[in-house]
Amino acid sequence: MKNSDILRKQFLQHVGQTSPSPMMIPVERAEGVFFYTPEGKPYYDLVAGVSVNNVGHGNRAVVEAVKQQAERYMHVMVYGEMIERPQVEYATALAALLPDPLRSIYFVNSGAEAVEGALKLAKRYTGRSEMISMRRAYHGSTHGAMSMMGAPEGEEWKGAFRPLLPGTKAIEFNDFEALAQITEHTACVLCEPVQGEAGVRPPKEGYLQALRERCTKVGALLIFDEIQTGMGRTGEMFAATKYGITPDIMCLAKAFGGGMPLGGFVASNEVMSTLQHNPVLGHITTFGGHPVCCAAGLAALRYMLDNDVVANVERKGALYEALLADHPQVVEIRRSGLLLAVELGSSEKMFRMMELFAEQGIMSDWFLYCDTAFRISPPLIISDEQIRDSVRIIRGCLDMLV
Ligand SMILES: Cc1ncc(COP(=O)(O)O)c(C=O)c1O
């Protein structure tokens, strides 16, 4: 048996699977906007590990930061006890970029954990238990985050795992009237400022303002899940600043770790401090804010700032849109910065595109709640030339659709 066949067999036998049809592309190495198979076949990575690799694969600044920190120290003590320079420096750099009063960040390991921490913090701060989410939201796969997957569409994923958290309810994103359901009983509203897995749904004009006002009026905390939209993806460092809204809590992960596993929830010092008492140690993590991950995240952030990466995101996203929108197979393009859903209007067409993409060396994907559109969310450092070249391949695949 060939080496590659042995690896495929071992992958299926020993690496736990939740998909009956994993992509199974063997990865040898990755650089910039490409990854390569052992045979050297390049793939344009138009998913970026689901909005993770914003500064590109193998970014030298990030790799060097990881190496240096790994040499200095890795895990020392559970979260929050020691003064670890990478954590402190990263938290300080973020605080300078976030709107006031978001000054205090609690580091965790992943997006779902950031959401769990944020929900607990909202309950602890308000003393209330009702939690409201948006339909077609995705916040993670742990019990709490899954409880906030918007019904009824989320039912397919969460039905089998009930009972989940009590006191949760889902409203329609972008529905102004539904905001009346947020009341004095509500601890928090959890919302992606641009819905990602719903198939890229930006907010309607004035919606996030109205949501903010309603939460403030009834004393509910507004939590923005910026796990996918944060770190430059929508054309500003955070969607919150793009739309001029300051949430009470912001969740970060994915690109936040510069390619390493890192998450965080950010709040004001006043809100965050409630986790210190009644009970003490209101949230505990062993590995949260791992020094190597914080060093990587900080290096990625500095790289973005030093190279004006975010300033070009909107223009690059608009270029993709302009180069694809007139193709007769494209029904519509929904977009925020470099997060695009190219709507084909049919899941058959979308799945055929996935086959063609795999042949032609394009890595794309569909969305949890939308299998009629394919995703374009490349590393933010993609060049104009690479955008044009990848569009040439995409259009060639679109031409082959019947
Ligand atoms: C908006 C959003 N929130 C939370 C998560 C969960 O993050 P993680 O997979 O790191 O737990 C995701 C992951 O896709 C996401 O897109």
Side-chain angles (χ1 to χ4, degrees):
M1 214 190 260
K2 279 199 308 197
N3 254 351
S4 55
D5 291 339
I6 294 172
L7 205 64
R8 283 169 77 88
K9 199 165 163 237
Q10 288 172 335
F11 170 79
L12 289 172
Q13 264 182 357
H14 301 302
V15 180
Q17 302 295 332
T18 59
S19 163
S21 50
M23 292 178 184
M24 295 194 60
I25 302 169
V27 182
E28 183 68 13
R29 65 184 184 90
E31 197 181 327
V33 298
F34 294 100
F35 63 82
Y36 300 84
T37 65
E39 293 76 34
K41 177 177 174 179
Y43 278 81
Y44 263 111
D45 185 0
L46 301 190
V47 177
V50 189
S51 302
V52 169
N53 305 106
N54 286 9
V55 295
H57 293 285
N59 182 292
R60 289 321 302 167
V62 176
V63 171
E64 282 311 314
V66 166
K67 280 187 184 168
Q68 285 175 19
Q69 186 54 44
E71 293 279 356
R72 251 178 242 124
Y73 59 90
M74 290 198 263
H75 181 73
V76 176
M77 179 53 182
V78 296
Y79 176 74
E81 297 294 338
M82 312 309 237
I83 299 178
E84 300 183 16
R85 185 178 287 278
Q87 265 179 12
V88 179
E89 287 186 352
Y90 198 14
T92 307
L94 274 169
L97 295 171
L98 284 160
D100 235 8
L102 299 177
R103 289 287 167 269
S104 176
I105 175 155
Y106 190 115
F107 287 106
V108 291
N109 305 286
S110 66
E113 282 176 80
V115 169
E116 297 291 337
L119 297 177
K120 280 176 66 183
L121 179 58
K123 283 166 102 173
R124 174 66 189 85
Y125 182 76
T126 60
R128 305 173 184 176
S129 58
E130 181 186 73
M131 300 188 290
I132 295 184
S133 60
M134 301 289 166
R135 296 216 168 116
R136 290 173 293 279
Y138 181 69
H139 299 293
S141 217
T142 51
H143 272 86
M146 185 175 258
S147 306
M148 305 299 277
M149 275 176 104
E153 290 80 357
E155 202 51 34
E156 182 184 345
W157 284 278
K158 64 188 199 183
F161 303 103
R162 289 190 180 282
L164 295 168
L165 282 183
T168 60
K169 124 173 140 187
I171 60 174
E172 196 67 42
F173 181 66
N174 271 337
D175 177 351
F176 287 75
E177 277 177 25
L179 297 178
Q181 294 184 51
I182 306 166
T183 69
E184 281 76 10
H185 299 289
T186 310
C188 61
V189 180
L190 175 60
C191 171
E192 299 160 84
V194 175
Q195 284 200 313
E197 295 311 311
V200 186
R201 313 274 169 184
K204 278 188 190 156
E205 181 82 39
Y207 176 72
L208 294 178
Q209 283 82 351
L211 171 63
R212 173 69 277 182
E213 277 162 28
R214 180 69 190 167
C215 287
T216 305
K217 185 165 176 219
V218 300
L221 296 194
L222 176 59
I223 307 174
F224 270 2
D225 176 340
E226 291 238 27
I227 288 163
Q228 184 145 210
T229 57
M231 313 317 292
R233 176 61 53 189
T234 69
E236 292 253 348
M237 193 59 85
F238 308 102
T241 41
K242 173 169 174 162
Y243 293 105
I245 304 294
T246 305
D248 299 291
I249 307 176
M250 184 189 287
C251 299
L252 295 167
K254 291 193 183 280
F256 182 52
M260 296 288 278
L262 185 67
F265 55 101
V266 196
S268 68
N269 291 102
E270 185 214 344
V271 171
M272 190 65 83
S273 66
T274 54
L275 288 178
Q276 289 173 8
H277 46 84
N278 301 325
V280 295
L281 300 174
H283 199 67
I284 299 175
T285 165
T286 297
F287 282 125
H290 191 285
V292 177
C293 303
C294 284
L298 178 59
L301 176 66
R302 284 187 177 147
Y303 181 89
M304 283 203 277
L305 295 174
D306 293 348
N307 294 281
D308 251 354
V309 171
V310 182
N312 286 301
V313 167
E314 176 54 32
R315 187 185 55 73
K316 290 178 183 179
L319 182 58
Y320 260 122
E321 188 175 345
L323 294 174
L324 282 168
D326 70 332
H327 195 283
Q329 292 290 357
V330 173
V331 174
E332 78 170 347
I333 295 180
R334 296 180 295 274
R335 182 177 73 82
S336 186
L338 264 173
L339 182 59
L340 293 89
V342 181
E343 183 59 62
L344 301 176
S346 126
S347 50
E348 286 76 25
K349 286 184 180 179
M350 196 287 301
F351 285 113
R352 177 70 189 127
M353 279 299 278
M354 291 299 123
E355 288 169 3
L356 293 166
F357 278 165
E359 283 166 28
Q360 301 296 317
I362 292 273
M363 173 70 188
S364 179
D365 197 5
W366 60 100
F367 301 87
L368 200 58
Y369 299 105
C370 177
D371 65 4
T372 54
F374 66 85
R375 182 190 311 253
I376 300 182
S377 61
L380 306 181
I381 48 112
I382 191 166
S383 69
D384 288 15
E385 199 191 329
Q386 289 166 332
I387 291 175
R388 289 178 193 283
D389 187 46
S390 58
V391 166
R392 180 186 57 75
I393 304 172
I394 294 170
R395 288 189 72 108
C397 295
L398 286 167
D399 289 343
M400 284 188 254
L401 283 183
V402 278

